[in-house]
Amino acid sequence: MVIGGTVVDITSTADPARLVSGQENDVTMNSMIHSSHPGATRISLGGVGRNVAEVISRLDNQNCVFVSAVGGQHVPGQGSSATDDLFRPWLVSEVARRGMDNHEIHPIRGARTATYTAIHDSTGNLLSAVADMGVFELLPPSKIKEAIAKHKPRTICFDANISVECMKATLEACRGQDIHTFFEPTSVAKCGRVLDSTMAASLTDGLLRFATPNEYELQEMATHARKLMSNNPDDVLIKGLGDRAIVRGHHDMDSVTTKESESQDLQKEYTSLLLDAFSVSHFIPTLFIKLGAKGVLVFQRSQLNAYQESRQCKDFKVERLDLEQSKVISDEKGGQDMSPFTVTWRSFPANKVSGIKSVTGAGDSLVGSVVTSLHHLGDLRVLLSENKLVQGRDRKNGHSTTGVDPFAFWKQMDRVISDAQAAAALTMQTHETVSPSLSTSPQATLLASKPKVISS
C-alpha cells in the first residue's frame, strides 16, 4: 500500500524564436515576461506517492493499493469547478490503467485536484511554476485507517504530501501489526513533518522503520530530530534516545560506524551526512539516502543483541557484509547505562546511465524498487514469524530498532540497491515519470518467477 500525492503535471515549453534570417534563437526569461509565446504543452501524471505506487505495480505485477485525494464536487459560491471536473476522472482512470488499485482515491468536496504547472524556456530551464497541492491536507485520517483495516497490507509507504495527522494515523494503524513502514520525504519543505512533536510517541515506539531521503532532506530531518530531542528533555523515552553530544549538536566520527576499506577522503566527504543520519536514526532506524550522481548510502542502527544474534548464524561472514569494523555505542540517561547498539553503513556508487532524457521520477523509481525488494525478503518474514527479532521500542532501555535482522538485511543489500539503481536508470531513459519498461525488467521477471510471499 502507498499513501500520498497524485498530481497532474502540466509543463509548457517555449519554442525557439525564429529570426527573419531563418535561424533560431533561444527564448529566455527576459523575452518571455508579459507576453505569450508559441510552444508545446505536455500533461502527465505525477506525484511522489503515485509514482512509487506505479513502480511497485509494474515490478510486482499486482495492483498496489494507492490511497490519495482528488478534487470533489463543486461547492456553490466557491469559484469554478472546471478543472475539478476535467482532471479528476482522467487521473483516477489513468491510475487504474497503469496497474494500481484506485478504489482508495477519495474525492474531497470543494477541493481542486492537485496540479503542478511549470513554464520552461526554449532551453528547457524552469522559469516558474505553480504547485496547487492543498487537496492532500484535506484527506481525512479516518480514510487511511479504514483502508489499512480493509486491505491489511504487509508493507506501507507514505510520502510527505499528507498531513501530520494522516502520518500519525498511518503509523498508529500499524501498531501491533507486522508491517514494514516506509517514509518518502518528498521535499525539503515537507520532510520535517514526520518528526513533528505530535509524532514522538509513534516514532519512539518504533512504528516507522525505513526512510528514503536525499542528502538535503536528510539534513532538514536531522535538524528536526535534534530539536525533538532537545525540546523534550523530560520525556523518558526521548531522553533515552541520544547521547548528550547529539542533543548539544556536537559529536565526532567515533559515534558513527565506518568501513575500514573506505578511504579517508570518502569518510571525510560523508562526515556531515553520517552525523545527520545518526541523529535521524534515533527515530527511523534504517535510511536509504539518495545521493544522485554519487549513488546511494544505506545507514542502519540496530540493537547490539540483534547484531550479536546475527553473528551466530552459521554462514555469517562479516567481511562480506561490511560489519567487521562495527563499533558498539552505549547511550547514557541520568547516569544509567543504556542498552548498547551498533550503527552500520555502506555506500553504493552510482551506475553510468546513457541516453538520459529526464531525471524526473528517477528517485521515486529507486524508492519503489527498494520497497518492493524489502517487501519480498522471505527470510526476514520467516525470522519475524518465529519472533527471533527485536522489534519496535525496547521500553526498558529506550531504543528504536529496525525490525529486521542485520545479517539478512545486509546480505541482500547488493541485490536490492542494484535493482533500485536499474529501475532509476530505466526511468531516466524516458520522458515518463515512471518507465513502462519496469514491467519487463530483471527485477520484475525474477519476482514473477517466484511465489508471492505476501500481498501488497
Side-chain angles (χ1 to χ4, degrees):
M1 175 180 287
V2 175
I3 306 167
T6 180
V7 181
V8 177
D9 287 331
I10 306 170
T11 304
S12 295
T13 303
D15 288 338
R18 188 169 296 278
L19 305 179
V20 175
S21 63
Q23 295 180 332
E24 292 185 344
N25 191 25
D26 289 334
V27 175
T28 57
M29 180 175 66
N30 289 337
S31 61
M32 289 186 68
I33 294 177
H34 308 306
S35 183
S36 64
H37 291 270
T41 296
R42 176 185 176 85
I43 299 178
S44 59
L45 284 182
V48 171
R50 193 219 64 85
N51 292 347
V52 171
E54 182 177 346
V55 172
I56 294 171
S57 295
R58 290 189 179 279
L59 291 174
D60 210 9
N61 194 29
Q62 57 182 324
N63 295 336
C64 174
V65 177
F66 179 48
V67 184
S68 191
V70 291
Q73 291 183 332
H74 172 57
V75 176
Q78 292 189 4
S80 171
S81 62
T83 53
D84 299 345
D85 295 338
L86 175 65
F87 289 133
R88 183 181 69 248
W90 174 75
L91 188 152
V92 173
S93 64
E94 275 295 298
V95 165
R97 190 180 70 82
R98 299 181 186 215
M100 294 159 274
D101 184 333
N102 66 357
H103 292 91
E104 299 295 342
I105 299 179
H106 301 283
I108 307 298
R109 180 175 171 81
R112 296 178 299 275
T113 295
T115 57
Y116 178 81
T117 306
I119 298 178
H120 292 178
D121 64 21
S122 60
T123 64
N125 291 317
L126 177 67
L127 297 181
S128 185
V130 175
D132 184 359
M133 309 284 180
V135 66
F136 305 128
E137 299 290 338
L138 304 176
L139 178 64
S142 60
K143 296 295 185 182
I144 293 177
K145 295 178 183 178
E146 292 168 4
I148 294 174
K150 176 182 178 182
H151 297 280
K152 296 180 173 56
R154 306 314 303 163
T155 301
I156 293 176
C157 177
F158 63 94
D159 73 20
N161 281 306
I162 62 176
S163 66
V164 173
E165 292 76 18
C166 283
M167 293 181 187
K168 185 174 181 179
T170 298
L171 295 182
E172 288 302 320
C174 296
R175 187 178 291 278
Q177 309 295 318
D178 173 20
I179 298 178
H180 276 174
T181 47
F182 290 78
F183 171 62
E184 167 42 50
T186 306
S187 70
V188 172
K190 297 178 179 179
C191 64
R193 291 181 174 187
V194 77
L195 291 158
D196 184 83
S197 60
T198 61
M199 297 284 290
S202 300
L203 294 172
T204 55
D205 282 345
L207 298 181
L208 181 52
R209 299 182 181 180
F210 305 92
T212 56
N214 63 32
E215 55 188 312
Y216 306 107
E217 293 161 351
L218 176 68
Q219 185 177 20
E220 182 69 13
M221 290 172 68
T223 299
H224 283 264
R226 292 165 186 148
K227 182 178 179 180
L228 188 56
M229 286 187 280
S230 63
N231 286 353
N232 295 272
D234 297 325
D235 186 298
V236 63
L237 292 180
I238 292 180
K239 187 176 181 181
L241 282 175
D243 56 23
R244 296 190 184 111
I246 285 215
V247 174
R248 291 196 304 266
H250 58 86
H251 41 272
D252 56 36
M253 275 298 294
D254 288 339
S255 297
V256 181
T257 299
T258 60
K259 297 193 308 176
E260 187 176 35
S261 59
E262 296 282 4
S263 68
Q264 291 298 316
D265 289 342
L266 191 58
Q267 289 186 20
K268 184 176 181 180
E269 176 186 358
Y270 284 153
T271 297
S272 178
L273 182 143
L274 289 169
L275 295 178
D276 286 340
F278 184 55
S279 295
V280 175
S281 72
H282 286 76
F283 297 98
I284 310 172
T286 303
L287 305 171
F288 292 85
I289 306 166
K290 297 169 289 186
L291 300 175
K294 292 185 290 185
V296 179
L297 188 142
V298 183
F299 187 100
Q300 186 179 76
R301 170 186 171 120
S302 304
Q303 283 191 314
L304 181 60
N305 55 354
Y307 173 68
Q308 289 175 328
E309 287 181 13
S310 295
R311 295 179 63 183
Q312 296 170 5
C313 294
K314 186 161 47 173
D315 57 349
F316 183 84
K317 299 184 184 301
V318 290
E319 66 278 8
R320 175 182 168 193
L321 303 179
D322 299 316
L323 296 176
E324 188 173 13
Q325 297 300 315
S326 295
K327 301 173 184 177
V328 176
I329 306 167
S330 294
D331 284 340
E332 294 183 357
K333 180 186 71 173
Q336 285 186 305
D337 288 337
M338 299 297 295
S339 175
F341 59 89
T342 185
V343 178
T344 53
W345 66 275
R346 180 179 171 187
S347 60
F348 297 82
N351 298 325
K352 291 185 177 180
V353 181
S354 60
I356 295 177
K357 295 181 179 178
S358 173
V359 298
T360 301
D364 299 339
S365 294
L366 185 144
V367 171
S369 175
V370 168
V371 172
T372 301
S373 293
L374 295 189
H375 177 81
H376 283 285
L377 290 186
D379 50 349
L380 295 186
R381 289 292 163 189
V382 171
L383 289 170
L384 285 166
S385 65
E386 294 176 357
N387 295 318
K388 291 183 178 179
L389 302 184
V390 178
Q391 300 182 59
R393 163 67 53 185
D394 179 343
R395 286 197 168 271
K396 178 181 178 182
N397 295 312
H399 285 284
S400 181
T401 63
T402 63
V404 296
D405 175 53
F407 169 79
F409 178 85
W410 288 107
K411 181 180 180 181
Q412 299 293 335
M413 209 40 51
D414 279 307
R415 181 59 181 265
V416 169
I417 300 302
S418 176
D419 285 341
Q421 291 180 327
L426 285 174
T427 291
M428 285 191 283
Q429 292 169 335
T430 72
H431 287 295
E432 302 290 332
T433 53
V434 174
S435 172
S437 298
L438 288 172
S439 300
T440 55
S441 67
Q443 183 180 7
T445 301
L446 178 63
L447 287 174
S449 68
K450 291 185 175 182
K452 301 298 182 185
V453 177
I454 46 179
S455 64
S456 292

